[in-house]
Amino acid sequence: MDVITLAHGSGGKLTHQLIDGIFQQYFDNEILGQKNDSALLPEVNGKIAVTTDSFVINPIFFNGGDIGKISVCGTVNDLAMSGAKPLYLTVGFIIEEGLAIEDLRKIVKSIAKTAKEAGVKIVTGDTKVVEQGNADKIYINTTGIGVVTRDIYIGGEMAEPGDKVIINGTLGDHGASIMAQRGDLDFDFSTESDCCLLNNLIEDILNTSNNVKVLRDPTRGGLATTLNEIASQSQVAIELEEEQIPIKAEVRSLCEILGVDPLYLANEGKVIVIVSEEDVEKVLEVMRKNPMGEDAQIIGTIVDSNDSNVYLKTGLGGTRILNMLAGELLPRIC
Amino acid sequence: MKYLEEFRDVATVKKMLYKLKLESNKKIKIMEVCGTHTMAIFRTGIRDLLPDNIELISGPGCPVCVTPQGYIDTAIELSKREDIIITTFADMMRVPGTDSSLQKQKALGANVRMVYSPLDAVKIAQDNPDKEVVFLAIGFETTIPTIALSVKRVEELNLNNYSILQSLKTMPATMEGLVLDEEIEIDGFICPGHVSTVIGVKPYEFLAEKYGVPAVVAGFESGDIVFALYKLLKMIQDREPKIENVYSRLVKYEGNQSAINIISDIFEVTNSQWRGLGEIKGSGLKLRNEYQNIDTEIKLGISISREKKLKGCICGEVLKGKKTPLECKLFSKACTPVNPIGACMVSEEGTCAAYYKYGKK
């Protein structure tokens, strides 16, 4: 089995073999082909959006995706959340020596495939190799560049009382799927990670309404933590209807076994849409027509209060506060 | 799943709550002993929907919360040794010792591993013959059978590098301690469902027979809890204390005999130190003499540190149900889930964590 060695990161012959034999082969485009110390991008009309994210997931190949796919989806989705059209990506790899070259090839192919689906070009990259034990197989950093051409401003501070909160589908799929595949949990768990591109769905939403206030993907910390961020930024409270929040039965069961709350689990293919009440139905309708929004639901309302709390109305009629995730999600003893 | 939904059916539970309100006329205090019940009560918002005369108090049934700080300090000291791998249930990781936590020690390079079962810890011992694998054996009757199984497994495999640091607790003796405590008034108990799947219903009968306190073994769905409260209310109002089982879909009267047998094969009753409660007679379990080679304290010639009192923390009173977290000066200020001071804030099941998480600030 051919593996990555420190020599692949030396900048010498093996590095070039890696660049030409894998990266160039799958990422090939005219900008990457410039092969200079920085890539020169053509002029764009509009506001430039930039975002960066690092991916350190374990396992690197999981049910529903891999570290390559997630490193493109995560960054493309972050651009889309600002109303930007994603254009370019940079990709930086930190590889632990010993990684099978075939695994790297699989990851690179996955990046290329997902980038193509998203309509973005990979314009520059970097590879570093570290000694065995100094990283966990492979870490990827992606920076995304996009352009905002619409005359809109979308941001976490824009939510207003009366606005409605929509989610595009079931929550906790990614976090639960990864948990079930980690360690020695021998669960028969079929739910896949929801890792996917959301830029087309966002495009549909923004073509439908000019009254979208907030778009946010509830990744780490889940729905509860992300809504807390929005409530705090907008100085409002958010009221959720527990019975409207879509959660797969299998995810709910796993969470009950482990003693974790699905509202705090990471998602990689979900978007929280906060939109004015008058446009909520047409936004919901267009979302449900998109494969990434088939299970979209209105789950709550923005209310006038500067306590910045997120309230959950339970099925029984009780109310509880959803706080931000504190620390790490740890399974309970019993 | 469909079967479970019946116990969550909103219309049914609302009807039960209405009936409860209609029929209750006496001020009563009910203790839910188990941490998972505490969480379920908060999660479903039941507490806010009860009639004003029913007060729920949370008991000492969170296994992490009742583990003495001295025990944590000892585990932390052991984790500093190169030749030791500490294996533990996940929610022990964040419990604060005097100066550190296992999570911090892990970040500093200690070999601390989270496991879902002590049998996983045995496997780690098999894979690391040059290390002593110490399993942090805490918890109630729910986790004790698998800990006993791990001891049996070690015997079968003839492994000599696995041991358990013990702080095992049993529930009925603890409940007796609470009934005998003159400062606590408890009119009835919701008994822990998970523990009862192992020990059954019989071990609680002394509560009604000896002390006249009714108890109901309940599951964790909203329907289970409200139905248990209704049963308790009726027994209290009719002055007919009994032990009822409304979790019969999982709990048998005589419990799980094979689990009970394996516990008594491996362990014997002892007194036990509880965080905040001190020593409770007959409320613990320890390895029988023939298994002393698996007792970390004996094997490594150490003894669990004495507990140092945490300044300002009222976890002890909270565990007894004497006070609520809201009466603690540290609660939600110095002591939060991110920076827990007392154990009741550390564990997801802890009363303080439940109060904090579900918005009783």
Side-chain angles (χ1 to χ4, degrees), chain B residues 122-123 125-132 149-163 290-291 293-294 299:
Chain B
V122 174
K123 182 146 189 352
Q126 282 180 277
D127 296 343
N128 296 273
D130 55 333
K131 302 268 190 198
E132 174 68 17
L149 266 178
S150 80
V151 173
K152 280 228 154 141
R153 185 99 185 95
V154 162
E155 292 280 295
E156 286 162 14
L157 294 166
N158 210 8
L159 276 182
N160 59 7
N161 64 326
Y162 174 85
S163 60
E290 56 265 44
Y291 298 109
N293 58 323
I294 295 173
K299 193 174 182 180

Side-chain angles (χ1 to χ4, degrees), chain A residues 179 182-185 242-243 249 252-253 256 258-261 264 309 312 314-334, chain B residues 1 8 10 13-14 36 42-46 48-49 63-64 89-91 93-94 103 114 116 120 138-139 142-143 194 222 337-338 348-349 356-359 361:
Chain A
M179 256 199 302
R182 256 186 207 160
D184 301 322
L185 281 182
E242 186 173 46
E243 289 187 311
R252 196 183 290 282
S253 299
E256 282 176 6
L258 295 177
V260 296
D261 187 336
Y264 291 87
N309 278 333
L312 185 81
T314 70
L316 290 176
T319 300
R320 63 178 167 108
I321 292 179
L322 284 181
N323 286 302
M324 272 202 177
L325 176 64
E328 190 187 352
L329 272 181
L330 293 171
R332 290 200 334 250
I333 172 172
C334 73
Chain B
M1 277 308 290
R8 295 174 182 167
V10 172
V13 178
K14 278 185 171 168
T36 310
F42 277 105
R43 198 181 59 238
T44 51
I46 287 173
D48 300 335
L49 303 170
V64 171
F89 291 126
D91 48 1
M93 293 291 287
R94 293 196 302 133
Q103 196 167 39
M114 287 186 268
Y116 290 94
D120 298 339
I138 67 150
T142 329
T143 50
H194 294 145
S222 45
V338 175
E348 278 280 306
E349 291 177 32
Y356 188 95
K357 185 176 177 184
Y358 295 128
K361 284 189 263 181

Side-chain angles (χ1 to χ4, degrees), chain A residues 273-322:
Chain A
V273 183
I274 297 181
V275 59
S276 69
E277 191 175 12
E278 69 204 76
D279 283 3
V280 70
E281 287 301 335
K282 64 179 184 183
V283 168
L284 186 66
E285 191 183 343
V286 82
M287 283 174 79
R288 285 181 174 169
K289 283 181 184 159
N290 186 300
M292 299 306 154
E294 283 170 349
D295 300 321
Q297 287 277 17
I298 300 168
I299 57 169
T301 307
I302 306 296
V303 293
D304 191 6
S305 164
N306 55 8
D307 66 10
S308 300
N309 278 333
V310 178
Y311 296 95
L312 185 81
K313 282 166 81 178
T314 70
L316 290 176
T319 300
R320 63 178 167 108
I321 292 179
L322 284 181

